[in-house]
Amino acid sequence: MKFLLTILICALAAPLFAQQPAEESPVRFRAVDIYVDSSNTPLAAYQLQFSVTNAVAKIVGIEGGTHPAFRQPPYFDPKAIQQERVIIAAFNTDKPENLPTGRTRVATIHLEIIGAERPAYELKLQTAGDSAGNKIPVTATCEENRSE
Amino acid sequence: MDNTDQHESDHSLEAPPRLVSTLKEISRHEVFIPRHISRAILKTAQEHLATRAERRFGSIREWMLWPALAAACVFVACIAWLLTTRPHYAREDFNHDGKVDILDAFALARQIKSSAPLSTTSDINGDGVVDGRDVALIATHAVQLKRDNGS
């Protein structure tokens, strides 16, 4: 009887002594696509600032867009990596007919998201220009890439 | 004589009725002044007043001359300074719009591509050649994160 009681106590106490399972890491990665809409004007240059406003994500990489004119990664400060803010800029001196018009994905920013909170983004357009170097009005937007 | 007596004597002083009627009679009659005398009086008065006014304004003019001259000199100096002083632009501000952004790099890249003659001021990195490295330097400057102003 004593033996059975000991086994029972040991069986009940086993989980207490068992190694606690490591907490599942909440770190995940997300890609944010940056779009510039220059309407009917061919887009030759852009510069904008992207930032994560609630400090739950860090920038881990930046790649170019879809259009051949902006396929190369844009200029950015390497110090922005592992930070929450970056200024990206690119230009193309090609002919207007080879430049994108309308809504174009010009870059993708890769983020490492820490924690369960959903990151909030802010995108500020700094300047945009046409093939003659004139400033043009454009709309810049960003959206999370769900395909990843 | 005390005050009471003098007061009483003042009350008793009355002009004789004849004098009063004569004075009233004079005011009724117009005093005739010949036209040439009237004109002469008017002319003399005008000359007199004109001289006084001229003297007054003449002194004001003298008083205002030097400050006005000094103000004119300052004004001319300011205009000359504005015309001769050029606004100072950063070296990377290629299109001289007051800020360094990607459009400056783009402007220089276009100029290099068009084979247009380039000034020595376009040699941003100072290596003696204006090329893509100068463009890249401007672009790098444009995207640089600054801690102070948050740009």
Side-chain angles (χ1 to χ4, degrees), chain B residues 27-67:
Chain B
S27 64
R28 277 187 203 136
H29 292 291
E30 277 189 17
V31 180
F32 174 73
I33 300 167
R35 184 165 281 187
H36 68 277
I37 291 173
S38 173
R39 280 181 183 169
I41 290 167
L42 188 64
K43 192 180 173 187
T44 310
Q46 281 175 340
E47 282 172 3
H48 178 70
L49 291 172
T51 313
R52 283 190 66 181
E54 196 174 303
R55 207 177 298 145
R56 193 160 54 116
F57 286 115
S59 65
I60 288 171
R61 261 186 242 134
E62 273 176 28
W63 178 81
M64 286 176 68
L65 180 67
W66 293 108

Side-chain angles (χ1 to χ4, degrees), chain A residues 6 9 12 15 20 26 34 38 44 62 76 81-82 91 110 113 115 125 131 135 139 142 145:
Chain A
T6 309
I9 288 167
L12 288 171
Q20 293 290 322
I34 310 294
S38 63
I62 295 166
F76 66 93
I81 299 296
Q82 290 296 316
F91 66 83
H110 295 273
I113 297 165
L125 177 79
S131 56
K135 285 183 185 176
T139 312
C142 66
N145 189 332

Side-chain angles (χ1 to χ4, degrees), chain A residues 44-47 49 75-77 80 85 87 89-94 127-133 135, chain B residues 95 97 99-103 105-106 109-110 113 132 135-136 139-140 142-147 150-151:
Chain A
Y46 72 87
Q47 180 172 322
Q49 179 181 274
Y75 288 100
F76 66 93
D77 191 340
R85 184 168 64 91
I87 297 170
F91 66 83
N92 193 299
T93 54
D94 218 335
T127 193
D130 64 8
S131 56
K135 285 183 185 176
Chain B
N95 59 7
D97 66 349
K99 56 188 174 187
V100 178
D101 56 26
I102 199 68
L103 294 183
F106 182 50
R110 283 180 65 236
K113 195 181 180 186
V135 175
T140 304
V143 297
Q144 207 165 23
L145 293 174
K146 297 177 189 76
R147 284 164 189 240
S151 65

Side-chain angles (χ1 to χ4, degrees), chain B:
Chain B
M1 189 187 286
D2 63 348
N3 286 341
T4 316
D5 293 343
Q6 190 172 355
H7 193 68
E8 282 172 1
S9 66
D10 284 347
H11 275 290
S12 65
L13 279 175
E14 283 185 2
R18 198 177 159 202
L19 177 63
V20 171
S21 64
T22 308
L23 288 171
K24 282 180 180 175
E25 197 67 26
I26 287 169
S27 64
R28 277 187 203 136
H29 292 291
E30 277 189 17
V31 180
F32 174 73
I33 300 167
R35 184 165 281 187
H36 68 277
I37 291 173
S38 173
R39 280 181 183 169
I41 290 167
L42 188 64
K43 192 180 173 187
T44 310
Q46 281 175 340
E47 282 172 3
H48 178 70
L49 291 172
T51 313
R52 283 190 66 181
E54 196 174 303
R55 207 177 298 145
R56 193 160 54 116
F57 286 115
S59 65
I60 288 171
R61 261 186 242 134
E62 273 176 28
W63 178 81
M64 286 176 68
L65 180 67
W66 293 108
L69 203 61
C73 286
V74 169
F75 180 73
V76 168
C78 285
I79 295 293
W81 181 78
L82 283 172
L83 291 174
T84 54
T85 310
R86 288 182 182 177
H88 179 72
Y89 296 109
R91 208 171 176 195
E92 294 88 354
D93 186 6
F94 196 74
N95 59 7
H96 290 179
D97 66 349
K99 56 188 174 187
V100 178
D101 56 26
I102 199 68
L103 294 183
D104 297 297
F106 182 50
L108 180 58
R110 283 180 65 236
Q111 214 165 45
I112 291 169
K113 195 181 180 186
S114 68
S115 306
L118 296 158
S119 68
T120 51
T121 55
S122 306
D123 184 13
I124 306 296
N125 61 2
D127 65 350
V129 187
V130 180
D131 55 12
R133 279 174 286 193
D134 298 297
V135 175
L137 199 64
I138 297 175
T140 304
H141 185 103
V143 297
Q144 207 165 23
L145 293 174
K146 297 177 189 76
R147 284 164 189 240
D148 51 350
N149 60 3
S151 65

Side-chain angles (χ1 to χ4, degrees), chain A residues 37-57:
Chain A
D37 188 348
S38 63
S39 193
N40 295 325
T41 312
L43 179 73
Y46 72 87
Q47 180 172 322
L48 43 88
Q49 179 181 274
F50 171 85
S51 52
V52 179
T53 54
N54 56 353
V56 297

